[in-house]
Amino acid sequence: MRHEISILIIGLLAVLTTASIVAAILSARAPKPLSSTLVNLTQRINAWWVMVALMTVAFFFGRYGMTILFALISFAALREFVTLTHTRRSDHWVLLGMFGIIIPFQYWLVWTAWYGLFVIFIPVYCFLLMPAITALHGDTERFLERIAAQQWAVMISVYCVSHVPALLTLNVPGFEGRTLLLIAFLIIVVQGSDVLQYIFGKLFGKHRFSPNVSPSKTWEGLIGGLVSASLLGALLSFVTPFSPLQAAAVAFVACSMGFLGGLVASAIKRDQGVKDWGHLIEGHGGMMDRTDSLVFAAPVFFHIVRYFWTV
Amino acid sequence: MNKLSLKTFTLLQTVTSVGLSALAWMVTGVRPIWNGSLPSDRQRIYFANHTSHGDFILLSACLSEKERAITHAVAAGEYWGKSRLRRFIAQDMLSSVLINRQWTTPEENPIEIMLSVLDQGHSLILFPEGTRNMTEEPLLAFRSGLYNLSMARPQVELIPCWIENMSRVLPKGQFLPVPLLCRVVFGAPVAVGPGEERRAFLERAHATLLALNPRPERDD
């Protein structure tokens, strides 16, 4: 696995260095004060340096690192999600349970590779028990809205996110001991697709995809991003159990889900009247702003690999 | 006069204030929004809405370590002075200034106690609603302390601070905080105008603070 990791890290460093140099040249040439797009671009690239560094550190700690990192990502995402929703004083215990019980228990299931409970703990047991607790409190005001928001909060920020480290529990024949590379593949392809959609959208974007939901998403950005991300997937097939063609197809499905994730996240933000989920990552907004596409892609990617590549 | 004297910041207080600020950041990701004023080590009275025990921790987490060392929350003596443990937490750990709302002797006069803190060059965090707000109203009417302090020490800046979401993080009667994102919006200083009446000033300060609420329609 050493060899593949070195290539991935060198590749990422080359991309980031190029991006930083391009941004520096653009900023040096542009009239002062810099436009908000340029300032934001530089902030985003700098944040990418930090995120890649954190991922690399977690990568070297293997299963421990990945499980802890994604549990923390779930925490930050859930915090942003719940902050945006309507809650009442009587929800206090349900909310505490979401942070104090559901997150640790779901990641413990990942850690122990207890697949049977991992896939149903949140969508079956939590979905039944959370509204039951709220009903026991006797506070029925805006009941359905409150429980729906809470269920979606744990679904997106805990259940879906936990599928990323869960990839480490898959047993792919001939790929033993290298499952960390599946995570690297998923993240690079999906986040790469986000960046590529952004670039294609900025360069060629004319036709809005869904002006009511997200004014920045265009057909040109979507198609250019998906095609180039699928190519990226094919190029990265050497770190996966997939053939180049399979890798391109898997990348295409994952990035399409990622696009839909971004769209859903935009719809939620629009409904709640905010522009960003939070302010955790300079230039990107909050954790959910950065992980919305990964969140939707992860379970689908997990199940594709599990269904077609494991025994 | 009164016996209240502020010692230099002790090690216990430094450890507490750094620890609580780090905790506040981890739980609420708190970030200050300087909207009309800027961080400064000049003498100030920060006045804020009050919904939770965590309010002043959140507010002081937004200040620099240097400012925190000279900034004291004003807390209810009937509550925080009741037992030795509470007094230890409030005074020795958090370096709060305790005042009695039902004072009898001149030494207990809250205004005199607060003035003596200001006269030692320190700043205050004040909750002019007088108590934690448990109602549906976003902000209760102000008591007159803010006016009295400003009239007596006009050189001290009065900074309105809107604390967002803390009532959801730690509602009254709960001990475990729910981690939700919080912000503290610091507004432009207010001052008593020439010849301005007590009532008029308090209502103006009240309106200024209320106007800082970044999400007024969502305050639930």
Side-chain angles (χ1 to χ4, degrees), chain A residues 30-182:
Chain A
K32 309 287 177 303
L34 292 175
S35 67
S36 59
T37 313
L38 263 181
V39 173
N40 184 254
L41 182 71
T42 312
Q43 284 176 338
R44 277 184 183 228
I45 294 168
N46 292 343
W48 273 119
W49 276 104
V50 177
M51 289 188 278
V52 167
L54 281 176
M55 288 297 305
T56 310
V57 170
F59 209 85
F60 279 107
F61 282 95
R63 265 184 83 192
Y64 285 103
M66 279 299 161
T67 312
I68 291 170
L69 177 70
F70 280 90
L72 292 174
I73 289 176
S74 277
F75 172 81
L78 185 64
R79 186 169 71 173
E80 286 168 8
F81 206 118
V82 177
T83 302
L84 279 192
T85 62
H86 174 83
T87 61
R88 289 170 58 79
R89 212 164 285 164
S90 53
D91 293 326
H92 198 74
W93 285 101
V94 176
L95 299 177
L96 279 177
M98 287 159 65
F99 289 97
I101 298 170
I102 298 181
I103 292 182
F105 193 70
Q106 178 75 2
Y107 280 89
W108 180 76
L109 292 174
V110 170
W111 180 254
T112 55
W114 187 350
Y115 176 76
L117 194 51
F118 163 77
V119 283
I120 60 166
F121 169 62
I122 287 173
V124 177
Y125 292 103
C126 296
F127 271 35
L128 296 179
L129 281 176
M130 285 160 58
I133 293 170
T134 309
L136 282 170
H137 268 102
D139 182 359
T140 57
E141 198 176 308
R142 294 167 77 178
F143 181 78
L144 190 56
E145 182 195 330
R146 280 157 54 212
I147 60 167
Q150 288 158 8
Q151 293 182 331
W152 262 90
V154 286
M155 190 69 189
I156 287 189
S157 8
V158 187
Y159 185 74
C160 291
V161 174
S162 69
H163 280 74
V164 180
L167 287 166
L168 298 176
T169 65
L170 294 179
N171 183 19
V172 181
F175 202 63
E176 288 85 4
R178 298 162 75 207
T179 38
L180 269 171
L181 291 169
L182 284 174

Side-chain angles (χ1 to χ4, degrees), chain A residues 75 78-80 82-89 92-93 95-96 99 142 272 274 277-280 282, chain B residues 25-29 31 134-135 165 168-171 174 176-183 215 218 220:
Chain A
F75 172 81
L78 185 64
R79 186 169 71 173
E80 286 168 8
V82 177
T83 302
L84 279 192
T85 62
H86 174 83
T87 61
R88 289 170 58 79
R89 212 164 285 164
H92 198 74
W93 285 101
L95 299 177
L96 279 177
F99 289 97
R142 294 167 77 178
Q272 299 296 328
V274 296
W277 286 96
H279 42 244
L280 193 66
E282 193 74 54
Chain B
W25 189 84
M26 279 190 284
V27 173
T28 71
R31 110 170 335 200
M134 294 298 130
T135 68
N165 261 348
R168 294 170 69 200
V169 172
L170 198 65
Q174 300 290 351
L176 291 171
V178 173
L180 298 177
L181 297 173
C182 292
R183 292 182 291 188
R215 283 189 286 191
R218 287 193 34 81
D220 44 34

Side-chain angles (χ1 to χ4, degrees), chain B residues 68-101:
Chain B
R68 272 206 301 270
I70 58 153
T71 305
H72 308 266
V74 179
E78 312 92 90
Y79 182 84
W80 288 106
K82 222 173 196 170
S83 67
R84 267 184 95 150
L85 177 68
R86 281 190 193 172
R87 191 172 279 278
F88 174 78
I89 293 174
Q91 286 186 324
D92 297 326
M93 287 177 68
L94 305 172
S95 72
S96 315
V97 173
L98 298 188
I99 56 163
N100 261 326
R101 286 171 289 196

Side-chain angles (χ1 to χ4, degrees), chain B residues 47 128 139 142 146-147 158 160 190-191 196 198-212:
Chain B
F47 67 98
L139 190 63
F142 281 5
L146 197 62
Y147 174 83
L158 307 182
V190 291
E196 191 172 23
R198 175 189 305 263
R199 266 276 294 279
F201 168 76
L202 289 173
E203 279 170 14
R204 188 163 62 86
H206 184 274
T208 312
L209 179 55
L210 200 53
L212 293 177

Side-chain angles (χ1 to χ4, degrees), chain A residues 211-281:
Chain A
N212 285 335
V213 180
S214 174
S216 62
K217 289 186 168 53
T218 60
W219 277 105
E220 291 82 355
L222 171 62
I223 294 166
L226 283 185
V227 170
S228 52
S230 305
L231 277 175
L232 177 65
L235 279 176
L236 290 176
S237 66
F238 73 98
V239 304
T240 69
F242 321 136
S243 73
L245 202 62
Q246 288 168 338
V250 172
F252 180 79
V253 175
C255 296
S256 304
M257 287 308 296
F259 174 77
L260 296 176
L263 206 62
V264 170
S266 295
I268 296 173
K269 283 188 283 187
R270 185 141 291 212
D271 179 33
Q272 299 296 328
V274 296
K275 207 180 132 285
D276 289 324
W277 286 96
H279 42 244
L280 193 66
I281 315 170

